[in-house]
Amino acid sequence: MHNNLASQTELQSPSVLYLLNLAIMVGPANKRQKREEYRTAHREEAAPELPKKKFYRQRAHANPFSDHQLTYPISPETMDWSPYYPAFVLNVAPGGTQTLSKDVEVADIGCGFGGLLVALAPKLPDTLLLGMEIRSQVTEYVQERIKALRAQNADAHLYQNAACLRANTMKFLPNFFRKYQLLKIFLCFPDPHFKARKHKARIVSATLNSEYAYVVRPGGIIYTITDVEDLHNWMVQHFDSHPSFQRVPEDEQEADECVSVMRTETEEGKKVERNKGKKFVALFRRLEDPEW
Amino acid sequence: MSKLRMPYQCIEKAGKFLVAARGSSIDLFSLDDLSLLSTWKFPHAQGLSTKGGTQSTTKNHSINMLETPALDTEPPHTSPAAKRRKLSDESSTQAVEAGERKSMTKPNSRSDSVASGLEDPAFITLASTRGGQHVIAVTGEDKTIRVPMPKRPCAITITQDNSTIIAADKFGDVYSLPLLFSELEVDQTPGSIATPRTESSSKPFTPAANELTVHSQRNRRALENQKAQSNKASEKPELTFEHRLLLGHVSMLTDVAAVDIQGRGYIISADRDEHIRVSRGIPQSHIIEGFCLGHTEFISRLCIPQGKPNLLISGGGDNELFVWDWLTCRLLSKTDLQSLIADVLLEYKAKNDGSYPKDEIKVTVSNIVHAKHADWNDGADMLLVTSEGVPALFTFLLTPDNILKHIQTVKLPGNALALTTYALTPEGSIIVSVDSIHKPGSITDCRSEAEATEPLRLYMFRGNELNNKSIFKPTNAYDEKQSVKLTNLLYNLENLRKRDGEAKEFE
């Protein structure tokens, strides 16, 4: 029973989920032990191989309203980015605070296993990309993946501009980024939260869009993609009706190189491809704020 | 139960009157002679008749607007007839005129941690218009509704032009509603960022997922079930009054302020997740100007001193009070409150062996009130601060370089609950509501009859010093209820603190 439950990764009923949690806490000791051993070994390796996903899987949903044991900076000014982008650390006098030569300008919110991040990093070598993911194990996977890619491509100096951290962006986005700091935000295959009473947990809403507008500078772009038509309509409707955003016309959208990467390189994108599902893309440009 | 006077959980001055809420009743006092003029009771019977047997499972949230006796009528103390002016008369007239008698029920399965234990819904906050003509009273749980809100309002304020109520709710959204209600207007008024409804209630239900979007066996089964299910009608009734969604946090809102500065309006909102957000006012409230970040615990109170609209004093679960230049989101100063509170609680919390775990004393700011008048306390900006479960009032002087300087710790005969200021020319006075049920320093232990105290007290400035002047004339507000249950009503801010372990995450 426990084994059976624990092997499921996508479930719907909260009560079953609770059982699942219990099952993992007390349940299959062997599997859990193996996972931990693998992950510890991977962390300690200096030049590791790419991590195996099966040791980092975590259920696809997280409650954005609960108080996870999250670490987040008090404010963007107090964020220490140096462990995330060591190649971009400015040499400062000993004892001085470490700063980066540039700011993070692209955020992949809900980056999952990091497919988009890894595909975009070599294409935007001079831009710092940050994946933000609420699930701790998935975050660790992406961090290990980037570590391995950096080690494997040390000569070409690739992937130094990509990093991932665990965050609940619905609550703490302004703790990480200053006003107008970002150029692009990606919202790829977000949790559709099908049930009407769960719609408030969606990553796009009238009120959250104001926060995206706050961290994205005028002219910046929000990228959205989903295989759920209803969610696509929802996102379009909410960004269209927000005075700070305007939809990017289709010809311009198709000319954007990030769009094809988003379609083909994300894990979800590939999964939808395999299932021959549809993908719905929409881009929104941040407009200038009117006078006040 | 002993004969203890019921404490007032919130008080607010409105013109020459003091409006004080105890449980689900509101007392109206004259500020001229501190006498009780009238009491407005929650229309209990009415609620029962409209709701039938469903009260046990319903919980509503409402904003009640009461009209205080107009200031141009004859003074209430001149004739006995005038004294009998009942708030309820005004309020029901108001409500009927506005056509807002509709009731709304909302099933709530969550265990009700905020329930006061009172039979009637208790008032959780009060606000008055600047002229004192109207008082807004908010209930947490309700049976009859004047203005039903989609979620429980936590904080309200009124815009500087006195026309609009800004209400912040438990779910993190901030709405505006007109002070004087007219018939429902369309929701899509300028300034609202709410999107048009995606599905009308008449549209048959179709699952948003399809075979291509679900991949696991279990989800596929769930989808089949959904498709087989008959279409359910939407159970949420439409709101029947004009209200606009202005902005929202993904957090619980704790306080909200509306300020005008240099001819522009702003809304400042604070939440449980340490954020103070500065947004533009209506109709551009969707634009965030900035965040005042620096708190490391929940924020519970915001105060913008009158005459210094660029300053903001904030407090909550942190040990310090923060002073901000909110328009530039700059922290100007921090002032320790924890050690002052620890000094007061020493006599109540010291252990038998004489040890006193001073560092364990937590700050839970429950009031920050600005007190200034040209004729009293030497025209200085004073800030009056209280913390939950602490029988004291702390006064601070706001110095010209924007630092809070502790002036005085005024010991109170009971835990401070609410306070308000008013000018009794030429002296300035502070009215403090103290907990007359629980022992000072405790939020659970009840007083004995010998320890009874009056719930409302008046203090007066002499220079920068506050002195006890008098108490309000007795009311008949004896508590017949189990006072233990009042703890949740009187002391609910500490619950905002995040606890270790509570957030323990399952993997």
Side-chain angles (χ1 to χ4, degrees):
Chain A
M1 170 71 180
H2 281 168
N3 271 323
N4 186 23
L5 267 176
S7 63
Q8 299 268 350
T9 51
E10 290 167 24
L11 295 164
Q12 288 200 328
S13 153
S15 59
V16 178
L17 285 175
Y18 180 65
L19 271 180
L20 166 70
N21 292 329
L22 282 181
I24 288 180
M25 303 281 287
V26 299
N30 272 341
K31 188 174 169 185
R32 209 177 71 208
Q33 202 182 338
K34 257 196 228 156
R35 278 183 150 213
E36 249 150 48
E37 279 168 12
Y38 177 88
R39 277 151 46 184
T40 314
H42 206 276
R43 267 196 295 269
E44 285 161 3
E45 251 174 276
E49 300 173 352
L50 286 173
K52 290 197 173 80
K53 242 184 236 176
K54 65 174 180 179
F55 295 109
Y56 298 88
R57 290 219 183 264
Q58 197 173 355
R59 59 178 283 255
H61 314 283
N63 179 1
F65 304 116
S66 75
D67 302 332
H68 297 280
Q69 222 123 49
L70 292 167
T71 49
Y72 48 88
I74 290 174
S75 66
E77 290 72 34
T78 59
M79 179 69 191
D80 181 9
W81 293 104
S82 57
Y84 297 94
Y85 303 98
F88 290 84
V89 172
L90 285 176
N91 288 326
V92 284
T97 46
Q98 297 203 308
T99 49
L100 300 185
S101 57
K102 44 182 69 187
D103 289 330
V104 174
E105 286 183 306
V106 174
D108 182 2
I109 293 178
C111 68
F113 288 92
L116 178 84
L117 212 55
V118 164
L120 275 185
K123 291 191 191 292
L124 305 167
D126 299 321
T127 309
L128 297 192
L129 320 176
L130 182 70
M132 306 176 92
E133 172 58 49
I134 197 168
R135 294 167 292 171
S136 55
Q137 292 168 64
V138 178
T139 307
E140 190 184 343
Y141 171 85
V142 181
Q143 288 169 344
E144 292 299 311
R145 185 177 179 181
I146 290 169
K147 188 169 93 179
L149 286 171
R150 282 177 181 172
Q152 289 168 7
N153 297 277
D155 296 341
H157 211 67
L158 289 176
Y159 301 103
Q160 295 292 341
N161 59 331
C164 178
L165 54 75
R166 181 168 184 231
N168 178 351
T169 60
M170 288 173 72
K171 278 178 181 279
F172 298 112
L173 199 61
N175 292 62
F176 290 95
F177 305 122
R178 296 186 318 272
K179 188 177 187 173
Y180 295 170
Q181 183 175 334
L182 299 182
L183 269 175
K184 299 172 195 290
I185 289 180
F186 288 89
L187 303 169
C188 300
F189 300 97
D191 192 335
H193 292 289
F194 288 117
K195 293 171 185 161
R197 76 183 163 80
K198 288 276 187 187
H199 283 177
K200 59 186 184 213
R202 286 180 167 172
I203 198 80
V204 168
S205 69
T207 56
L208 274 172
N209 289 358
S210 293
E211 294 198 27
Y212 302 137
Y214 172 75
V215 294
V216 173
R217 73 190 68 150
I221 308 260
I222 312 275
Y223 295 75
T224 71
I225 184 169
T226 176
D227 58 329
V228 180
E229 189 170 11
D230 175 71
L231 178 64
H232 169 72
N233 293 337
W234 167 281
M235 295 195 289
V236 169
Q237 225 163 39
H238 282 79
F239 274 113
D240 270 351
S241 61
H242 197 289
S244 298
F245 291 100
Q246 187 179 48
R247 184 146 184 203
V248 174
E250 204 170 324
D251 51 337
E252 211 178 312
Q253 168 185 311
E254 295 309 314
D256 191 321
E257 66 166 343
C258 296
V259 170
S260 61
V261 175
M262 186 166 75
R263 274 212 183 91
T264 54
E265 298 295 334
T266 55
E267 275 78 6
E268 286 293 319
K270 287 175 183 161
K271 191 152 108 186
V272 174
E273 199 76 57
R274 284 198 299 277
N275 288 293
K276 300 194 171 54
K278 274 194 202 161
K279 291 178 222 172
F280 302 90
V281 173
L283 274 53
F284 306 92
R285 177 167 290 116
R286 167 75 159 94
L287 302 174
E288 291 278 353
D289 287 332
E291 285 288 302
W292 186 238
Chain B
M1 195 63 230
S2 57
K3 285 248 174 186
L4 293 173
R5 293 194 190 284
M6 178 91 169
Y8 295 93
Q9 69 266 29
C10 34
I11 59 177
E12 176 79 26
K13 83 181 151 185
K16 291 161 88 175
F17 303 96
L18 176 75
V19 184
R22 55 179 160 89
S24 44
S25 301
I26 294 180
D27 287 344
L28 183 69
F29 291 90
S30 159
L31 286 179
D32 291 331
D33 60 357
L34 307 184
S35 62
L36 178 68
L37 297 178
S38 68
T39 296
W40 184 80
K41 283 204 166 61
F42 207 85
H44 183 55
Q46 211 171 33
L48 283 178
S49 63
T50 54
K51 274 296 158 296
T54 57
Q55 308 100 2
S56 58
T57 54
T58 61
K59 184 181 140 202
N60 292 320
H61 325 284
S62 76
I63 288 179
N64 301 269
M65 198 183 55
L66 313 172
E67 200 171 299
T68 54
L71 293 174
D72 53 0
T73 59
E74 53 183 314
H77 62 266
T78 52
S79 75
K83 277 194 180 186
R84 296 189 55 83
R85 293 180 69 93
K86 283 209 168 115
L87 270 171
S88 57
D89 297 340
E90 265 84 12
S91 68
S92 54
T93 316
Q94 191 69 41
V96 169
E97 276 171 5
E100 290 292 344
R101 273 292 193 214
K102 291 252 169 73
S103 295
M104 182 183 92
T105 64
K106 178 178 178 293
N108 195 320
S109 54
R110 193 173 55 90
S111 73
D112 197 355
S113 58
V114 293
S116 60
L118 300 167
E119 277 173 49
D120 285 327
F123 291 97
I124 52 176
T125 182
L126 295 168
S128 66
T129 54
R130 276 159 187 85
Q133 301 279 341
H134 295 94
V135 174
I136 321 294
V138 177
T139 56
E141 327 106 53
D142 209 341
K143 288 175 184 121
T144 55
I145 303 298
R146 298 268 141 46
V147 181
M149 294 299 289
K151 293 280 168 188
R152 187 157 73 94
C154 300
I156 49 171
T157 188
I158 296 165
T159 53
Q160 304 228 322
D161 62 2
N162 261 348
S163 68
T164 308
I165 304 169
I166 310 271
D169 74 27
K170 219 176 145 64
F171 190 67
D173 289 331
V174 178
Y175 289 90
S176 71
L177 26 150
L179 180 68
L180 297 169
F181 298 107
S182 53
E183 285 298 324
L184 173 69
E185 290 164 44
V186 191
D187 193 16
Q188 288 306 299
T189 38
S192 173
I193 52 170
T195 48
R197 261 162 231 283
T198 43
E199 300 134 291
S200 73
S201 50
S202 59
K203 195 175 136 192
F205 171 79
T206 48
N210 61 43
E211 291 80 358
L212 297 171
T213 57
V214 293
H215 310 302
S216 76
Q217 206 174 19
R218 189 178 284 261
N219 282 354
R220 234 172 269 143
R221 221 180 302 137
L223 178 63
E224 278 162 29
N225 287 340
Q226 275 187 12
K227 282 182 170 167
Q229 218 173 29
S230 60
N231 293 320
K232 270 186 283 179
S234 163
E235 69 265 21
K236 272 211 172 171
E238 304 264 327
L239 296 176
T240 53
F241 62 97
E242 184 201 342
H243 76 298
R244 300 181 227 155
L245 177 62
L246 298 178
L247 59 108
H249 301 216
V250 179
S251 181
M252 191 188 292
L253 288 175
T254 53
D255 205 358
V256 63
V259 210
D260 281 359
I261 187 164
Q262 295 150 13
R264 301 181 190 95
Y266 294 90
I267 296 169
I268 304 177
S269 43
D271 71 28
R272 187 186 166 224
D273 290 303
E274 308 103 31
H275 297 116
I276 298 172
R277 181 190 290 194
V278 179
S279 306
R280 291 184 181 178
I282 302 166
Q284 288 190 26
S285 57
H286 61 276
I287 296 178
I288 300 172
E289 290 288 349
F291 289 86
C292 298
L293 300 174
H295 278 277
T296 56
E297 290 286 350
F298 67 89
I299 297 149
S300 50
R301 290 293 177 261
L302 301 175
C303 173
I304 291 165
Q306 234 178 350
K308 293 195 173 171
N310 59 315
L311 292 187
L312 170 72
I313 294 108
S314 62
D318 279 307
N319 285 345
E320 299 93 9
L321 296 167
F322 288 57
V323 182
W324 305 89
D325 177 354
W326 57 267
L327 204 49
T328 59
C329 294
R330 218 155 39 89
L331 178 65
L332 300 174
S333 68
K334 289 206 264 185
T335 302
D336 182 62
L337 185 59
Q338 200 267 349
S339 61
L340 301 176
I341 290 173
D343 289 345
V344 171
L345 291 181
L346 172 66
E347 64 178 285
Y348 306 103
K349 302 269 167 158
K351 300 223 170 91
N352 289 337
D353 59 4
S355 70
Y356 178 48
K358 197 174 167 175
D359 295 340
E360 287 170 27
I361 299 293
K362 295 261 199 299
V363 177
T364 309
V365 173
S366 53
N367 287 282
I368 305 177
V369 173
H370 175 242
K372 183 195 170 108
H373 190 280
D375 295 331
W376 36 284
N377 57 45
D378 303 332
D381 284 292
M382 298 294 290
L383 282 133
L384 314 171
V385 178
T386 64
S387 179
E388 258 185 16
V390 180
L393 170 64
F394 304 94
T395 71
F396 295 88
L397 177 72
L398 181 63
T399 66
D401 47 354
N402 300 316
I403 291 168
L404 291 177
K405 188 178 157 214
H406 177 239
I407 298 291
Q408 194 184 0
T409 297
V410 183
K411 296 244 172 107
L412 301 173
N415 299 332
L417 295 177
L419 62 103
T420 187
T421 63
Y422 81 106
L424 233 174
T425 355
E427 300 143 301
S429 299
I430 314 296
I431 301 160
V432 185
S433 159
V434 300
D435 188 344
S436 49
I437 291 283
H438 300 102
K439 288 183 177 172
S442 169
I443 61 169
T444 47
D445 298 343
C446 289
R447 292 166 187 267
S448 66
E449 222 163 313
E451 297 167 309
T453 184
E454 282 299 322
L456 288 181
R457 289 177 175 265
L458 191 70
Y459 289 82
M460 208 160 257
F461 275 110
R462 214 160 275 146
N464 283 338
E465 294 273 308
L466 271 179
N467 292 296
N468 194 357
K469 196 205 168 207
S470 58
I471 51 175
F472 276 60
K473 294 188 181 139
T475 67
N476 292 321
Y478 289 111
D479 174 44
E480 306 291 338
K481 314 251 162 60
Q482 291 220 335
S483 58
V484 174
K485 291 182 179 167
L486 282 174
T487 300
N488 286 337
L489 173 64
L490 302 177
Y491 306 105
N492 46 36
L493 294 171
E494 180 56 30
N495 291 336
L496 294 170
R497 197 181 300 275
K498 294 173 189 171
R499 278 168 284 238
D500 292 340
E502 172 193 60
K504 193 154 196 175
E505 195 205 355
F506 293 114
E507 299 205 333

PDB file of all heavy atoms in Angstrom, chain B residues 448-463:
ATOM      1  N   SER B 448     -10.197  38.145  39.414  1.00  0.00           N
ATOM      2  CA  SER B 448     -11.243  37.895  40.394  1.00  0.00           C
ATOM      3  C   SER B 448     -12.051  39.185  40.510  1.00  0.00           C
ATOM      4  O   SER B 448     -11.655  40.236  39.986  1.00  0.00           O
ATOM      5  CB  SER B 448     -10.622  37.537  41.741  1.00  0.00           C
ATOM      6  OG  SER B 448      -9.935  38.677  42.236  1.00  0.00           O
ATOM      7  N   GLU B 449     -13.166  39.115  41.202  1.00  0.00           N
ATOM      8  CA  GLU B 449     -14.017  40.298  41.311  1.00  0.00           C
ATOM      9  C   GLU B 449     -13.298  41.450  42.020  1.00  0.00           C
ATOM     10  O   GLU B 449     -13.519  42.614  41.728  1.00  0.00           O
ATOM     11  CB  GLU B 449     -15.297  39.941  42.050  1.00  0.00           C
ATOM     12  CG  GLU B 449     -16.495  40.571  41.399  1.00  0.00           C
ATOM     13  CD  GLU B 449     -17.786  39.919  41.845  1.00  0.00           C
ATOM     14  OE1 GLU B 449     -17.852  38.675  41.859  1.00  0.00           O
ATOM     15  OE2 GLU B 449     -18.702  40.654  42.178  1.00  0.00           O
ATOM     16  N   ALA B 450     -12.420  41.081  42.924  1.00  0.00           N
ATOM     17  CA  ALA B 450     -11.683  42.106  43.667  1.00  0.00           C
ATOM     18  C   ALA B 450     -10.722  42.876  42.762  1.00  0.00           C
ATOM     19  O   ALA B 450     -10.325  43.993  43.075  1.00  0.00           O
ATOM     20  CB  ALA B 450     -10.904  41.454  44.803  1.00  0.00           C
ATOM     21  N   GLU B 451     -10.370  42.260  41.663  1.00  0.00           N
ATOM     22  CA  GLU B 451      -9.406  42.902  40.771  1.00  0.00           C
ATOM     23  C   GLU B 451     -10.093  43.639  39.628  1.00  0.00           C
ATOM     24  O   GLU B 451      -9.463  43.988  38.649  1.00  0.00           O
ATOM     25  CB  GLU B 451      -8.467  41.841  40.179  1.00  0.00           C
ATOM     26  CG  GLU B 451      -7.617  41.134  41.199  1.00  0.00           C
ATOM     27  CD  GLU B 451      -6.935  39.889  40.629  1.00  0.00           C
ATOM     28  OE1 GLU B 451      -7.618  39.047  40.038  1.00  0.00           O
ATOM     29  OE2 GLU B 451      -5.708  39.799  40.770  1.00  0.00           O
ATOM     30  N   ALA B 452     -11.405  43.856  39.761  1.00  0.00           N
ATOM     31  CA  ALA B 452     -12.155  44.469  38.670  1.00  0.00           C
ATOM     32  C   ALA B 452     -11.624  45.870  38.369  1.00  0.00           C
ATOM     33  O   ALA B 452     -11.156  46.591  39.251  1.00  0.00           O
ATOM     34  CB  ALA B 452     -13.631  44.545  39.041  1.00  0.00           C
ATOM     35  N   THR B 453     -11.678  46.238  37.114  1.00  0.00           N
ATOM     36  CA  THR B 453     -11.246  47.570  36.721  1.00  0.00           C
ATOM     37  C   THR B 453     -12.165  48.082  35.624  1.00  0.00           C
ATOM     38  O   THR B 453     -12.853  47.312  34.964  1.00  0.00           O
ATOM     39  CB  THR B 453      -9.781  47.546  36.242  1.00  0.00           C
ATOM     40  OG1 THR B 453      -9.373  48.878  35.967  1.00  0.00           O
ATOM     41  CG2 THR B 453      -9.611  46.709  34.977  1.00  0.00           C
ATOM     42  N   GLU B 454     -12.168  49.390  35.459  1.00  0.00           N
ATOM     43  CA  GLU B 454     -12.993  49.978  34.402  1.00  0.00           C
ATOM     44  C   GLU B 454     -12.304  49.797  33.050  1.00  0.00           C
ATOM     45  O   GLU B 454     -11.085  49.962  32.947  1.00  0.00           O
ATOM     46  CB  GLU B 454     -13.197  51.468  34.670  1.00  0.00           C
ATOM     47  CG  GLU B 454     -14.232  51.753  35.728  1.00  0.00           C
ATOM     48  CD  GLU B 454     -15.607  51.237  35.353  1.00  0.00           C
ATOM     49  OE1 GLU B 454     -15.976  51.321  34.167  1.00  0.00           O
ATOM     50  OE2 GLU B 454     -16.306  50.714  36.245  1.00  0.00           O
ATOM     51  N   PRO B 455     -13.067  49.483  32.033  1.00  0.00           N
ATOM     52  CA  PRO B 455     -12.431  49.186  30.746  1.00  0.00           C
ATOM     53  C   PRO B 455     -11.914  50.412  29.984  1.00  0.00           C
ATOM     54  O   PRO B 455     -11.044  50.262  29.143  1.00  0.00           O
ATOM     55  CB  PRO B 455     -13.520  48.465  29.957  1.00  0.00           C
ATOM     56  CG  PRO B 455     -14.808  48.851  30.597  1.00  0.00           C
ATOM     57  CD  PRO B 455     -14.508  49.156  32.022  1.00  0.00           C
ATOM     58  N   LEU B 456     -12.456  51.588  30.246  1.00  0.00           N
ATOM     59  CA  LEU B 456     -12.012  52.762  29.496  1.00  0.00           C
ATOM     60  C   LEU B 456     -11.371  53.778  30.422  1.00  0.00           C
ATOM     61  O   LEU B 456     -11.906  54.093  31.476  1.00  0.00           O
ATOM     62  CB  LEU B 456     -13.184  53.427  28.759  1.00  0.00           C
ATOM     63  CG  LEU B 456     -13.744  52.689  27.552  1.00  0.00           C
ATOM     64  CD1 LEU B 456     -14.873  53.499  26.936  1.00  0.00           C
ATOM     65  CD2 LEU B 456     -12.674  52.423  26.501  1.00  0.00           C
ATOM     66  N   ARG B 457     -10.233  54.295  30.029  1.00  0.00           N
ATOM     67  CA  ARG B 457      -9.526  55.259  30.859  1.00  0.00           C
ATOM     68  C   ARG B 457      -9.057  56.436  30.022  1.00  0.00           C
ATOM     69  O   ARG B 457      -8.787  56.284  28.842  1.00  0.00           O
ATOM     70  CB  ARG B 457      -8.307  54.604  31.504  1.00  0.00           C
ATOM     71  CG  ARG B 457      -8.759  53.653  32.534  1.00  0.00           C
ATOM     72  CD  ARG B 457      -7.686  52.900  33.196  1.00  0.00           C
ATOM     73  NE  ARG B 457      -8.352  52.139  34.230  1.00  0.00           N
ATOM     74  CZ  ARG B 457      -8.450  52.545  35.494  1.00  0.00           C
ATOM     75  NH1 ARG B 457      -7.859  53.644  35.885  1.00  0.00           N
ATOM     76  NH2 ARG B 457      -9.118  51.844  36.366  1.00  0.00           N
ATOM     77  N   LEU B 458      -8.970  57.541  30.690  1.00  0.00           N
ATOM     78  CA  LEU B 458      -8.584  58.767  30.015  1.00  0.00           C
ATOM     79  C   LEU B 458      -7.237  59.237  30.559  1.00  0.00           C
ATOM     80  O   LEU B 458      -7.055  59.293  31.770  1.00  0.00           O
ATOM     81  CB  LEU B 458      -9.653  59.819  30.296  1.00  0.00           C
ATOM     82  CG  LEU B 458      -9.590  61.101  29.496  1.00  0.00           C
ATOM     83  CD1 LEU B 458      -9.959  60.839  28.059  1.00  0.00           C
ATOM     84  CD2 LEU B 458     -10.545  62.118  30.104  1.00  0.00           C
ATOM     85  N   TYR B 459      -6.321  59.522  29.668  1.00  0.00           N
ATOM     86  CA  TYR B 459      -5.019  60.054  30.085  1.00  0.00           C
ATOM     87  C   TYR B 459      -4.821  61.399  29.415  1.00  0.00           C
ATOM     88  O   TYR B 459      -5.352  61.659  28.341  1.00  0.00           O
ATOM     89  CB  TYR B 459      -3.887  59.094  29.692  1.00  0.00           C
ATOM     90  CG  TYR B 459      -3.880  57.836  30.521  1.00  0.00           C
ATOM     91  CD1 TYR B 459      -4.730  56.786  30.206  1.00  0.00           C
ATOM     92  CD2 TYR B 459      -3.054  57.723  31.628  1.00  0.00           C
ATOM     93  CE1 TYR B 459      -4.751  55.630  30.971  1.00  0.00           C
ATOM     94  CE2 TYR B 459      -3.057  56.581  32.405  1.00  0.00           C
ATOM     95  CZ  TYR B 459      -3.907  55.534  32.075  1.00  0.00           C
ATOM     96  OH  TYR B 459      -3.924  54.403  32.838  1.00  0.00           O
ATOM     97  N   MET B 460      -4.048  62.239  30.065  1.00  0.00           N
ATOM     98  CA  MET B 460      -3.876  63.579  29.545  1.00  0.00           C
ATOM     99  C   MET B 460      -2.408  63.952  29.486  1.00  0.00           C
ATOM    100  O   MET B 460      -1.640  63.574  30.374  1.00  0.00           O
ATOM    101  CB  MET B 460      -4.604  64.544  30.465  1.00  0.00           C
ATOM    102  CG  MET B 460      -5.082  65.767  29.751  1.00  0.00           C
ATOM    103  SD  MET B 460      -6.378  66.514  30.742  1.00  0.00           S
ATOM    104  CE  MET B 460      -7.812  66.008  29.870  1.00  0.00           C
ATOM    105  N   PHE B 461      -2.030  64.659  28.455  1.00  0.00           N
ATOM    106  CA  PHE B 461      -0.651  65.120  28.346  1.00  0.00           C
ATOM    107  C   PHE B 461      -0.413  66.337  29.231  1.00  0.00           C
ATOM    108  O   PHE B 461      -1.210  67.271  29.242  1.00  0.00           O
ATOM    109  CB  PHE B 461      -0.327  65.506  26.905  1.00  0.00           C
ATOM    110  CG  PHE B 461       0.098  64.345  26.065  1.00  0.00           C
ATOM    111  CD1 PHE B 461      -0.723  63.863  25.059  1.00  0.00           C
ATOM    112  CD2 PHE B 461       1.330  63.755  26.266  1.00  0.00           C
ATOM    113  CE1 PHE B 461      -0.326  62.802  24.284  1.00  0.00           C
ATOM    114  CE2 PHE B 461       1.733  62.687  25.482  1.00  0.00           C
ATOM    115  CZ  PHE B 461       0.905  62.212  24.491  1.00  0.00           C
ATOM    116  N   ARG B 462       0.681  66.296  29.964  1.00  0.00           N
ATOM    117  CA  ARG B 462       1.161  67.510  30.596  1.00  0.00           C
ATOM    118  C   ARG B 462       2.587  67.640  30.100  1.00  0.00           C
ATOM    119  O   ARG B 462       3.451  66.889  30.520  1.00  0.00           O
ATOM    120  CB  ARG B 462       1.083  67.388  32.123  1.00  0.00           C
ATOM    121  CG  ARG B 462       0.760  68.699  32.788  1.00  0.00           C
ATOM    122  CD  ARG B 462       0.221  68.490  34.200  1.00  0.00           C
ATOM    123  NE  ARG B 462      -1.215  68.225  34.227  1.00  0.00           N
ATOM    124  CZ  ARG B 462      -1.787  67.401  35.120  1.00  0.00           C
ATOM    125  NH1 ARG B 462      -1.066  66.754  35.988  1.00  0.00           N
ATOM    126  NH2 ARG B 462      -3.085  67.234  35.114  1.00  0.00           N
ATOM    127  N   GLY B 463       2.778  68.523  29.142  1.00  0.00           N
ATOM    128  CA  GLY B 463       4.048  68.496  28.427  1.00  0.00           C
ATOM    129  C   GLY B 463       4.095  67.201  27.639  1.00  0.00           C
ATOM    130  O   GLY B 463       3.121  66.843  26.983  1.00  0.00           O
TER     131      GLY B 463
END
